[in-house]
Amino acid sequence: MRLACTVNGEAREVDGLWEGESLLHVLRERLGLPGAKNACEQGECGSCSIYLDGELVCSCLVLAGQAEGSEVVTVEGLAEEGELSPVQEAFLAAGAVQCGFCTPGLVVATDDLLRRNPSPSDAEIREALAGNLCRCTGYEKILDAVRAAAR
Ligand code: FES
Ligand code: FES
């Protein structure tokens, strides 16, 4: 099976996909984009969050074939010309990273939230990030980072 799509603004083609292969696997193992993390592979943790045609999705739940002709943006694609995005900067500055496994998904989910709602309340932040699990932090630094990015 073959997949042709746009990833972070570049046309990419992948041959030899197996039936049932996830988009997450394609990104990480075939396209050299390890930003989206494989933590649960069941749609439970949000570590694999990406944009698919502008929609926030768990890439572990997307069949690679479903991305045919689509525009995919990963956490790597949020940094423009080598400069971290404001959300990426805010996570760094707030120290909202421990092991970092959840961080790419949180960054993409925060980017999505702030595109839709540039001044979210704490309740709106918590709701938007409810699908992103972190096993390391008490979430306070993560909330600080989102508030800072919104500012
Ligand atoms: S790895 Fe996709 S939701 Fe956990
Ligand atoms: S920083 Fe380790 S899982 Fe979130």
Side-chain angles (χ1 to χ4, degrees):
M1 212 171 88
R2 186 162 192 250
L3 167 66
C5 62
T6 302
V7 181
N8 297 333
E10 277 182 43
R12 305 294 299 262
E13 288 185 5
V14 182
D15 280 314
L17 300 181
W18 70 78
E19 216 174 302
E21 185 166 348
S22 72
L23 181 55
L24 175 62
H25 191 270
V26 169
L27 292 170
R28 290 180 56 82
E29 308 300 334
R30 298 184 186 267
L31 294 179
L33 292 166
K37 296 289 180 278
N38 181 355
C40 74
E41 257 188 316
Q42 296 181 358
E44 300 285 350
C45 73
S47 300
C48 63
S49 299
I50 62 160
Y51 286 113
L52 179 64
D53 289 332
E55 293 288 324
L56 185 68
V57 297
C58 290
S59 57
C60 70
L61 294 183
V62 177
L63 289 174
Q66 290 176 281
E68 176 66 26
S70 293
E71 189 176 333
V72 174
V73 177
T74 69
V75 70
E76 290 94 338
L78 299 184
E80 287 182 10
E81 296 176 11
E83 296 288 324
L84 294 180
S85 74
V87 174
Q88 291 168 324
E89 287 283 8
F91 271 71
L92 196 57
V97 179
Q98 286 190 36
C99 80
F101 220 78
C102 66
T103 310
L106 279 160
V107 165
V108 178
T110 300
D111 184 272
D112 178 62
L113 166 66
L114 298 181
R115 281 173 199 265
R116 293 183 284 106
N117 179 0
S119 302
S121 65
D122 278 5
E124 288 168 333
I125 295 172
R126 286 177 189 277
E127 185 182 354
L129 301 185
N132 292 80
L133 304 183
C134 175
R135 66 184 172 180
C136 299
T137 76
Y139 291 94
E140 243 353 277
K141 296 282 185 197
I142 292 168
L143 289 171
D144 287 347
V146 180
R147 292 184 198 112
R151 282 196 296 276

mmCIF file of all heavy atoms in Angstrom, residues 114-132:
data_model
loop_
_atom_site.group_PDB
_atom_site.id
_atom_site.type_symbol
_atom_site.label_atom_id
_atom_site.label_comp_id
_atom_site.label_asym_id
_atom_site.label_seq_id
_atom_site.Cartn_x
_atom_site.Cartn_y
_atom_site.Cartn_z
ATOM 1 N N LEU A 114 -5.399 27.256 21.725
ATOM 2 C CA LEU A 114 -5.191 28.703 21.612
ATOM 3 C C LEU A 114 -5.555 29.237 20.226
ATOM 4 O O LEU A 114 -5.863 30.420 20.090
ATOM 5 C CB LEU A 114 -3.746 29.067 21.975
ATOM 6 C CG LEU A 114 -3.363 28.725 23.427
ATOM 7 C CD1 LEU A 114 -1.927 29.139 23.720
ATOM 8 C CD2 LEU A 114 -4.316 29.386 24.426
ATOM 9 N N ARG A 115 -5.549 28.368 19.238
ATOM 10 C CA ARG A 115 -6.049 28.800 17.923
ATOM 11 C C ARG A 115 -7.559 29.020 17.989
ATOM 12 O O ARG A 115 -8.100 29.923 17.358
ATOM 13 C CB ARG A 115 -5.773 27.735 16.855
ATOM 14 C CG ARG A 115 -4.360 27.752 16.352
ATOM 15 C CD ARG A 115 -4.110 26.562 15.429
ATOM 16 N NE ARG A 115 -2.685 26.340 15.313
ATOM 17 C CZ ARG A 115 -1.939 26.835 14.331
ATOM 18 N NH1 ARG A 115 -2.494 27.560 13.384
ATOM 19 N NH2 ARG A 115 -0.643 26.604 14.302
ATOM 20 N N ARG A 116 -8.228 28.150 18.733
ATOM 21 C CA ARG A 116 -9.693 28.250 18.826
ATOM 22 C C ARG A 116 -10.118 29.284 19.857
ATOM 23 O O ARG A 116 -11.157 29.922 19.731
ATOM 24 C CB ARG A 116 -10.292 26.888 19.213
ATOM 25 C CG ARG A 116 -10.145 25.812 18.163
ATOM 26 C CD ARG A 116 -10.818 24.515 18.575
ATOM 27 N NE ARG A 116 -10.068 23.774 19.571
ATOM 28 C CZ ARG A 116 -10.390 23.670 20.850
ATOM 29 N NH1 ARG A 116 -11.462 24.266 21.317
ATOM 30 N NH2 ARG A 116 -9.648 22.970 21.690
ATOM 31 N N ASN A 117 -9.323 29.415 20.921
ATOM 32 C CA ASN A 117 -9.700 30.248 22.056
ATOM 33 C C ASN A 117 -8.434 30.885 22.630
ATOM 34 O O ASN A 117 -7.758 30.294 23.480
ATOM 35 C CB ASN A 117 -10.392 29.350 23.109
ATOM 36 C CG ASN A 117 -10.790 30.117 24.340
ATOM 37 O OD1 ASN A 117 -10.554 31.327 24.441
ATOM 38 N ND2 ASN A 117 -11.400 29.420 25.295
ATOM 39 N N PRO A 118 -8.083 32.078 22.178
ATOM 40 C CA PRO A 118 -6.801 32.684 22.563
ATOM 41 C C PRO A 118 -6.707 33.066 24.041
ATOM 42 O O PRO A 118 -5.605 33.237 24.542
ATOM 43 C CB PRO A 118 -6.730 33.943 21.687
ATOM 44 C CG PRO A 118 -7.732 33.762 20.610
ATOM 45 C CD PRO A 118 -8.798 32.876 21.156
ATOM 46 N N SER A 119 -7.836 33.194 24.717
ATOM 47 C CA SER A 119 -7.799 33.555 26.144
ATOM 48 C C SER A 119 -8.642 32.583 26.967
ATOM 49 O O SER A 119 -9.679 32.969 27.517
ATOM 50 C CB SER A 119 -8.333 34.978 26.349
ATOM 51 O OG SER A 119 -7.584 35.899 25.604
ATOM 52 N N PRO A 120 -8.195 31.357 27.064
ATOM 53 C CA PRO A 120 -9.022 30.363 27.762
ATOM 54 C C PRO A 120 -8.990 30.554 29.282
ATOM 55 O O PRO A 120 -7.985 30.993 29.841
ATOM 56 C CB PRO A 120 -8.358 29.035 27.377
ATOM 57 C CG PRO A 120 -6.934 29.391 27.123
ATOM 58 C CD PRO A 120 -6.941 30.776 26.551
ATOM 59 N N SER A 121 -10.097 30.216 29.916
ATOM 60 C CA SER A 121 -10.134 30.169 31.376
ATOM 61 C C SER A 121 -9.412 28.900 31.832
ATOM 62 O O SER A 121 -9.139 27.994 31.021
ATOM 63 C CB SER A 121 -11.583 30.129 31.857
ATOM 64 O OG SER A 121 -12.181 28.917 31.439
ATOM 65 N N ASP A 122 -9.127 28.815 33.139
ATOM 66 C CA ASP A 122 -8.492 27.598 33.646
ATOM 67 C C ASP A 122 -9.363 26.376 33.372
ATOM 68 O O ASP A 122 -8.863 25.297 33.039
ATOM 69 C CB ASP A 122 -8.215 27.728 35.146
ATOM 70 C CG ASP A 122 -6.929 28.502 35.411
ATOM 71 O OD1 ASP A 122 -6.314 29.011 34.441
ATOM 72 O OD2 ASP A 122 -6.524 28.592 36.584
ATOM 73 N N ALA A 123 -10.670 26.550 33.532
ATOM 74 C CA ALA A 123 -11.570 25.412 33.284
ATOM 75 C C ALA A 123 -11.507 24.989 31.819
ATOM 76 O O ALA A 123 -11.510 23.783 31.506
ATOM 77 C CB ALA A 123 -13.004 25.798 33.664
ATOM 78 N N GLU A 124 -11.413 25.972 30.923
ATOM 79 C CA GLU A 124 -11.337 25.634 29.490
ATOM 80 C C GLU A 124 -10.000 24.964 29.154
ATOM 81 O O GLU A 124 -9.941 24.067 28.320
ATOM 82 C CB GLU A 124 -11.536 26.902 28.657
ATOM 83 C CG GLU A 124 -12.979 27.389 28.690
ATOM 84 C CD GLU A 124 -13.171 28.785 28.117
ATOM 85 O OE1 GLU A 124 -12.212 29.607 28.148
ATOM 86 O OE2 GLU A 124 -14.287 29.071 27.667
ATOM 87 N N ILE A 125 -8.942 25.407 29.833
ATOM 88 C CA ILE A 125 -7.633 24.752 29.608
ATOM 89 C C ILE A 125 -7.711 23.302 30.077
ATOM 90 O O ILE A 125 -7.305 22.369 29.367
ATOM 91 C CB ILE A 125 -6.505 25.490 30.368
ATOM 92 C CG1 ILE A 125 -6.309 26.894 29.811
ATOM 93 C CG2 ILE A 125 -5.202 24.694 30.262
ATOM 94 C CD1 ILE A 125 -5.348 27.763 30.634
ATOM 95 N N ARG A 126 -8.247 23.097 31.271
ATOM 96 C CA ARG A 126 -8.331 21.726 31.810
ATOM 97 C C ARG A 126 -9.177 20.835 30.902
ATOM 98 O O ARG A 126 -8.833 19.673 30.658
ATOM 99 C CB ARG A 126 -8.922 21.755 33.225
ATOM 100 C CG ARG A 126 -7.959 22.282 34.257
ATOM 101 C CD ARG A 126 -8.613 22.367 35.633
ATOM 102 N NE ARG A 126 -7.772 23.058 36.588
ATOM 103 C CZ ARG A 126 -6.787 22.491 37.272
ATOM 104 N NH1 ARG A 126 -6.534 21.218 37.110
ATOM 105 N NH2 ARG A 126 -6.050 23.195 38.099
ATOM 106 N N GLU A 127 -10.268 21.390 30.409
ATOM 107 C CA GLU A 127 -11.134 20.590 29.543
ATOM 108 C C GLU A 127 -10.404 20.242 28.239
ATOM 109 O O GLU A 127 -10.433 19.099 27.782
ATOM 110 C CB GLU A 127 -12.427 21.351 29.239
ATOM 111 C CG GLU A 127 -13.400 20.503 28.444
ATOM 112 C CD GLU A 127 -14.665 21.239 28.083
ATOM 113 O OE1 GLU A 127 -14.851 22.389 28.541
ATOM 114 O OE2 GLU A 127 -15.470 20.658 27.335
ATOM 115 N N ALA A 128 -9.724 21.251 27.665
ATOM 116 C CA ALA A 128 -9.054 21.020 26.374
ATOM 117 C C ALA A 128 -7.925 19.996 26.500
ATOM 118 O O ALA A 128 -7.644 19.266 25.553
ATOM 119 C CB ALA A 128 -8.504 22.339 25.834
ATOM 120 N N LEU A 129 -7.290 19.960 27.666
ATOM 121 C CA LEU A 129 -6.138 19.058 27.835
ATOM 122 C C LEU A 129 -6.504 17.777 28.581
ATOM 123 O O LEU A 129 -5.615 16.988 28.945
ATOM 124 C CB LEU A 129 -5.005 19.783 28.576
ATOM 125 C CG LEU A 129 -4.478 21.062 27.902
ATOM 126 C CD1 LEU A 129 -3.278 21.609 28.668
ATOM 127 C CD2 LEU A 129 -4.114 20.823 26.440
ATOM 128 N N ALA A 130 -7.800 17.558 28.771
ATOM 129 C CA ALA A 130 -8.230 16.393 29.558
ATOM 130 C C ALA A 130 -7.805 15.072 28.921
ATOM 131 O O ALA A 130 -7.641 14.066 29.616
ATOM 132 C CB ALA A 130 -9.745 16.422 29.741
ATOM 133 N N GLY A 131 -7.609 15.074 27.622
ATOM 134 C CA GLY A 131 -7.214 13.831 26.949
ATOM 135 C C GLY A 131 -5.715 13.615 26.897
ATOM 136 O O GLY A 131 -5.248 12.662 26.275
ATOM 137 N N ASN A 132 -4.948 14.502 27.533
ATOM 138 C CA ASN A 132 -3.485 14.384 27.504
ATOM 139 C C ASN A 132 -2.993 14.045 28.905
ATOM 140 O O ASN A 132 -3.083 14.872 29.815
ATOM 141 C CB ASN A 132 -2.850 15.695 27.029
ATOM 142 C CG ASN A 132 -3.150 15.975 25.578
ATOM 143 O OD1 ASN A 132 -4.238 16.464 25.243
ATOM 144 N ND2 ASN A 132 -2.235 15.648 24.699
#
